[in-house]
Amino acid sequence: CVNVGSIAAKWLGLHFGILFGNHDPGMTSGNITVARNIIRGFAYGGVFLIGDHNRIVNNQFLDLNLARCGTEPVPAKCAALPDEPDALRSGIYLSDNGGRAAVTRDNVIQENVIEGFGMAEHCVAAKKGVSLAANVIRGNACGDPVSSR
């Protein structure tokens, strides 16, 4: 999945590569595998993750955070979630709400390449109250694009 960089950087909506949601009361986000994909060119992160027993493995998430969230002054398109500053600036963000409350644990996030603005510092992050330690997170290569190093 590739977005044209200039368009993704200007778009003002919620713009993640993959968004795990649970708005439908009859479904949950669990036991899903996302493997061996190239996801490139998104205004925010590569994955917004909720649920349990999901596997995010061996993917390339490139050209993330084109909105440059995490800079001062805060760009308007980065001000949507002021109580969750990592939500829009992280490569993979673990949350406990994708429309309804969810428990996010026992996920595997490993061997991914995660690159984009601020990814060296905000590669994998979680909402306050969501435990990164309750998930397996290992072997991910995180970095800023060469032009911002």
Side-chain angles (χ1 to χ4, degrees):
C1 180
V2 177
N3 273 330
V4 176
S6 61
I7 295 170
K10 294 175 186 171
W11 194 74
L12 297 176
L14 182 64
H15 202 51
F16 288 88
I18 299 171
L19 190 139
F20 285 67
N22 65 350
H23 282 279
D24 182 333
M27 63 82 59
T28 60
S29 290
N31 297 307
I32 298 167
T33 297
V34 177
R36 296 178 302 280
N37 296 284
I38 299 172
I39 306 293
R40 178 186 298 260
F42 287 88
Y44 303 128
V47 178
F48 182 96
L49 179 63
I50 63 164
D52 62 278
H53 296 93
N54 298 300
R55 296 178 44 81
I56 312 296
V57 296
N58 296 309
N59 297 287
Q60 295 180 48
F61 300 104
L62 309 171
D63 299 329
L64 301 178
N65 193 9
L66 293 173
R68 300 181 72 82
C69 298
T71 59
E72 294 291 334
V74 176
K77 60 183 123 179
C78 300
L81 300 168
D83 295 335
E84 297 180 61
D86 287 334
L88 303 180
R89 68 181 177 197
S90 299
I92 298 177
Y93 184 71
L94 286 68
S95 182
D96 62 2
N97 191 317
R100 295 180 297 116
V103 175
T104 301
R105 67 167 183 250
D106 301 316
N107 296 294
V108 176
I109 301 168
Q110 72 178 23
E111 304 298 328
N112 298 289
V113 174
I114 303 168
E115 291 184 356
F117 179 80
M119 292 306 115
E121 184 178 350
H122 302 288
C123 185
V124 179
K127 181 180 176 183
K128 184 177 179 182
V130 175
S131 172
L132 288 175
N135 299 276
V136 175
I137 302 169
R138 64 178 172 226
N140 299 293
C142 306
D144 295 335
V146 173
S147 61
S148 66
R149 288 185 188 154

